[in-house]
Amino acid sequence: MAVRQADFRARAQAALQDDNLRDALDKAKGGFVDKRASAILDLPGFETLRERGRQIKDHTLAHLDTYLETFEQNVERNGGQVHYAADAEAAREAVLAICRDASARQVIKAKTMAGEEVGLNEALEHEFETVESDLGEYIIQLAEEPPSHIIAPAVHKTRAEITALFDRHHHQREGGPLRETPDLVDEARGVLRQKFLGADIGISGANFLIAETGSIALVTNEGNADLSTSLPRVHIAIAGIEKLVPGLEEASSMLRLLARSATGQQITAYTTFITGARREADPDGPEEFHLVLLDNGRSRMLGDEFREMLRCIRCGACMNHCPVYSAIGGHAYGWVYPGPMGAVLTPMFQGLDKSRDLPNACTLNGRCQSVCPVKIRLPMLIRRLRDHEFEQRLTPTGTRWALQAWAWLARRPRLYQLATRSAGTVLRTLGKGRARRVPLAGAWTAARDLPLPSAGGTFQQRWRAARTSRGEQA
Amino acid sequence: MSTARSTVMARIREALGRTQPPSLAEARADLARRVPDAIPRPIWDEPQVERFVARLEASAATWARVNGRADIPGAVGDYLQDAAEELIGIAAHPLLTELAWPPAWSISHDMENAASWHTAIAVARAGIAETGSLVMGSGPASPTTLNFLPDRHIVVIAADEIVDYMEEIWERFRADGSMPRTINVITGPSRTADVEQTLQLGAHGPRSLHVLIVNSAS
Ligand code: SF4
């Protein structure tokens, strides 16, 4: 999928004025934040577990060649095939070749961020009837939109919008009655059940790759990944090489982190371990299992100062706790990975010149790092990217949208509380005379004479100071 | 192997600054140095089976306890109420196939018909008290699609197959010598929150999950 970068600021502006989006994001954010907070209460050692998660991933990355070889041998021992893909195009070609070899006609997909990253759907749709089975992904596929959140892809869609989409695609009509959530879910269940039963190929991602056994771990709540990977005669999984963990015990630890951080559950409804293809005596399951292992820039990150970003388990907690993400939503980020993780990953995968606004879509408040289950120092990585921009003279000018996001935020009491620390951080950063390296602040101070606050004081005081200086009414 | 593989491997080794990978034993030793033996996990005071059923309920599953395997058909009948009106699929598991099912019920063991079953009955390999999860290992006695196609899913588990933590099930599968194609760790019925973040049961998999805990399965 191509990056839609050039008009980032226009998208952020539009997002800030979209009331439907505001409501949807507001609702979702509260849910995610509260659920995570209560889910970690049952595990008093959660902080120790985060440290363990960090160690497991760092260790695996430092031994990636060893574990990849072990993993590959175990997949093959269980009747599966491993395909390496150096870049996005190679990954698409590998998947297309498997589908063609199988004389496939229909493809059913479970949600895969790696698939989104390489633009798999566009490639498949030319040749095969391709249907997304995760309800959120299905909704945005009908709407012909990219996902706006890595865990809840249709988080920006209201019930009325979903009703209209279903009317158009399932009933070829406009203006049907607004339907309740159970009815919409049931309708999609009925339509998609036929797609599951008719598909020749099932495509999934993988949350973890387990070297010890050659298994992939997949988590869902809907059960769509399970139907996608067990009913069709061929199962193709696509995953980044950084998804490896050494063994089953390490996978269990990572799963405890993932479920709590992503959806605030102790475990998802379905946690599935798939090892190779169907066995001879099995009454069901696919005859072929293929795993496409994606590099696409990961090996470069492994060797540079951004290695720790490869610890990411795609839980979405950083965006759920990000004041900028909650103000502008996922689409404004312009590519498949939004929020803080996207602000680092998109420049990594797509180039800093194509995503130069993203490292600046951040107030450096640090909440993302404090909730990240594998302790990725996201603000530090984002600052490094800003430094690179500065060195490469890519720094955008006149970036006012972040201030507007902030103004919006300050009028929302719950989010406002969450962001209290962000004000301190940004304003103190200004106070240290680093304004030239913070484009947001650069734009701000260029136009206004901002009084620098003392290190103490409340968000409200600072906010009032900032607003007065910008000549706004209370 | 393919050139893509050697390209990616070469890039990884360059990034890691070496030409040969460390052995698996060396790698495992490094991991052992980095992470303490004690795994941070939820802890609880109540007896194991109480924890298990409390977590089952939290996952929106229902449950009943029966004394012996002969009581299973009666407990299924109590739960279904209109069992004679349904198509019931039963996994070809010895614990189930040898039972005396009421002759009036339409029962099938043939997975070819699975897409039309309203209710399916299966046997769990293990239960996990930590999360109230059922562990299903695929094979002739436990087809994986049977866990997802029916509207209602009934799972039989022997009380002594319940373990505390997920890690303990790995010991069992290692003892088998190999992994089954699919291990489904199931916690409650299918659900989605994709429409306005409102939780709705029965997305693609079963709309309900009922667990029969058998005190003595022998
Ligand atoms: S960066 Fe951390 S919090 Fe964000 S998605 Fe990745 S693992 Fe989750």
Side-chain angles (χ1 to χ4, degrees):
Chain A
M1 188 185 143
V3 69
R4 297 171 300 126
Q5 198 53 51
D7 53 346
F8 170 76
R9 275 166 275 169
R11 282 194 308 272
Q13 295 273 13
L16 286 170
Q17 277 143 29
D18 181 340
D19 286 339
N20 269 353
L21 181 66
R22 294 267 62 71
D23 290 350
L25 288 170
D26 201 8
K27 211 166 170 180
K29 182 191 171 81
F32 278 123
V33 169
D34 297 348
K35 276 189 233 154
R36 176 189 173 277
S38 56
I40 63 175
L41 291 179
D42 83 305
L43 213 172
F46 191 71
E47 285 309 305
T48 324
L49 185 61
R50 284 177 71 219
E51 178 58 21
R52 191 182 193 87
R54 181 178 84 87
Q55 292 287 357
I56 289 171
K57 291 301 277 185
D58 274 350
H59 159 81
T60 312
L61 292 168
H63 297 82
L64 198 57
D65 44 356
T66 306
Y67 287 123
L68 270 176
E69 286 191 350
T70 309
F71 175 74
E72 195 181 335
Q73 284 161 13
N74 286 320
V75 172
E76 282 164 6
R77 179 174 313 152
N78 288 293
Q81 292 176 54
V82 175
H83 311 258
Y84 282 82
D87 55 30
E89 193 192 340
R92 290 193 300 267
E93 283 308 319
V95 172
L96 286 173
I98 298 163
C99 295
R100 287 177 197 139
D101 283 352
S103 310
R105 290 183 20 247
Q106 292 184 47
V107 177
I108 190 94
K109 281 185 74 229
K111 192 159 79 74
T112 149
M113 290 312 296
E116 296 282 348
E117 179 186 321
V118 302
L120 200 51
N121 281 11
E122 285 113 316
L124 285 167
E125 280 163 3
H126 287 302
E127 286 178 56
F128 311 100
E129 186 199 329
T130 306
V131 180
E132 290 286 355
S133 61
D134 172 88
L135 183 54
E137 289 279 346
Y138 176 67
I139 290 166
I140 61 167
Q141 186 186 27
L142 295 184
E144 298 180 23
E145 287 174 20
S148 67
H149 187 287
I150 61 171
I151 301 296
V155 66
H156 58 291
K157 286 270 174 251
T158 62
R159 196 150 48 84
E161 289 172 314
I162 297 167
T163 301
L165 279 170
F166 283 11
D167 275 344
R168 208 167 305 140
H169 291 272
H170 299 165
H171 309 283
Q172 288 73 46
R173 68 174 184 208
E174 299 288 335
L178 177 66
R179 301 209 267 299
E180 298 297 326
T181 299
D183 298 333
L184 289 170
V185 172
D186 237 29
E187 187 172 326
R189 177 188 172 103
V191 170
L192 286 166
R193 182 55 69 94
Q194 295 314 311
K195 304 291 181 192
F196 282 119
L197 293 169
D200 318 283
I201 308 266
I203 296 181
S204 75
N207 294 92
F208 300 102
L209 307 172
I210 302 166
E212 174 193 356
T213 51
S215 310
I216 68 170
L218 269 175
V219 303
T220 71
N221 278 305
E222 298 183 0
N224 64 306
D226 296 285
L227 289 168
S228 301
T229 59
S230 58
L231 286 170
R233 59 193 157 85
V234 178
H235 170 200
I236 308 172
I238 173 167
I241 51 177
E242 86 288 6
K243 293 274 166 182
L244 269 169
V245 292
L248 294 162
E249 279 75 9
E250 289 75 33
S252 296
S253 282
M254 300 310 298
L255 286 163
R256 287 189 185 94
L257 284 169
L258 177 60
R260 285 172 178 80
S261 304
T263 47
Q265 291 172 287
Q266 295 192 351
I267 190 167
T268 51
Y270 301 113
T271 299
T272 300
F273 301 85
I274 292 173
T275 312
R278 153 195 205 154
R279 313 288 189 260
E280 221 172 271
D282 285 356
D284 58 5
E287 289 145 27
E288 291 177 36
F289 171 67
H290 299 268
L291 186 84
V292 177
L293 277 174
L294 179 65
D295 179 347
N296 201 30
R298 288 165 172 80
S299 56
R300 195 182 54 239
M301 289 167 70
L302 188 66
D304 69 23
E305 56 190 329
F306 295 96
R307 181 195 284 192
E308 71 184 80
M309 197 61 220
L310 294 173
R311 295 204 295 260
C312 176
I313 57 172
R314 310 284 191 264
C315 73
C318 55
M319 62 199 73
N320 294 336
H321 291 77
C322 173
V324 175
Y325 176 90
S326 13
I328 62 175
H331 284 164
Y333 290 82
W335 199 49
V336 294
Y337 299 118
M341 53 91 84
V344 179
L345 280 179
T346 304
M348 291 288 112
F349 289 143
Q350 298 280 340
L352 198 48
D353 55 327
K354 295 201 191 70
S355 51
R356 57 189 185 157
D357 282 310
L358 295 192
N360 304 298
C362 171
T363 65
L364 299 178
N365 61 77
R367 287 195 58 83
C368 49
Q369 175 175 342
S370 71
V371 296
C372 176
V374 284
K375 298 171 102 169
I376 297 173
R377 293 169 296 174
L378 290 154
M380 187 273 283
L381 297 178
I382 289 169
R383 262 198 305 268
R384 270 187 195 162
L385 284 169
R386 289 182 184 178
D387 289 346
H388 284 295
E389 284 186 336
F390 187 70
E391 282 152 20
Q392 296 170 33
R393 300 186 187 284
L394 289 170
T395 308
T397 51
T399 313
R400 280 208 62 212
W401 69 269
L403 265 184
Q404 292 179 357
W406 204 13
W408 174 85
L409 174 76
R411 287 180 218 118
R412 275 34 180 205
R414 191 174 51 216
L415 302 183
Y416 160 99
Q417 278 169 2
L418 292 179
T420 300
R421 273 196 296 155
S422 76
T425 313
V426 173
L427 295 180
R428 268 198 301 282
T429 309
L430 288 172
K432 282 177 191 146
R434 298 192 60 222
R436 270 183 309 129
R437 306 179 87 180
V438 185
L440 157 61
W444 194 354
T445 50
R448 292 155 201 90
D449 187 16
L450 177 70
L452 296 175
S454 61
T458 64
F459 177 87
Q460 274 175 312
Q461 289 165 335
R462 291 171 195 194
W463 178 250
R464 266 198 295 274
R467 193 162 48 195
T468 311
S469 75
R470 287 161 60 206
E472 279 186 27
Q473 296 303 306
Chain B
M1 268 297 266
S2 70
T3 54
R5 182 189 190 277
S6 31
T7 309
V8 174
M9 276 294 181
R11 287 185 195 162
I12 290 170
R13 299 223 164 100
E14 196 193 322
L16 296 172
R18 60 178 169 237
T19 50
Q20 277 302 309
S23 72
L24 192 57
E26 286 167 328
R28 299 296 316 201
D30 175 72
L31 181 64
R33 278 193 299 274
R34 282 168 181 257
V35 296
D37 287 343
I39 304 170
R41 301 187 281 207
I43 40 174
W44 56 89
D45 299 325
E46 65 265 45
Q48 187 187 62
V49 88
E50 277 179 35
R51 165 83 185 192
F52 179 70
V53 298
R55 294 314 308 167
L56 273 184
E57 286 172 6
S59 74
T62 53
W63 60 277
R65 278 192 90 148
V66 298
N67 261 327
R69 55 192 296 181
D71 302 324
I72 293 172
V76 170
D78 290 347
Y79 174 67
L80 292 179
Q81 290 175 348
D82 50 358
E85 311 291 307
E86 295 206 16
L87 297 174
I88 301 174
I90 298 185
H93 189 289
L95 184 70
L96 300 177
T97 49
E98 288 158 22
L99 293 174
W101 297 98
W105 293 9
S106 317
I107 284 176
S108 167
H109 300 288
D110 184 355
M111 285 305 292
E112 293 293 313
N113 306 325
S116 58
W117 295 343
H118 302 123
T119 297
I121 309 175
V123 180
R125 175 75 192 268
I128 303 173
E130 174 188 359
T131 46
S133 307
L134 301 158
V135 181
M136 321 293 291
S138 68
S142 181
T144 184
T145 52
L146 181 147
N147 302 326
F148 297 94
L149 287 169
D151 278 3
R152 297 205 268 197
H153 193 203
I154 300 175
V155 178
V156 175
I157 180 168
D160 57 9
E161 300 284 6
I162 299 171
V163 298
D164 283 340
Y165 296 108
M166 184 187 278
E167 281 84 351
E168 292 162 64
I169 69 171
W170 304 136
E171 295 306 327
R172 297 187 177 199
F173 286 111
R174 282 198 190 102
D176 290 353
S178 71
M179 298 277 278
R181 198 273 160 172
T182 308
I183 297 173
N184 296 118
V185 178
I186 297 175
T187 314
S190 161
R191 65 201 58 205
T192 183
D194 275 341
V195 179
E196 296 191 334
Q197 305 299 295
T198 309
L199 187 70
Q200 177 62 38
L201 296 182
H204 290 299
R207 299 171 195 271
S208 63
L209 172 65
H210 187 63
V211 181
L212 293 178
I213 303 166
V214 186
N215 289 340
S216 159
S218 51

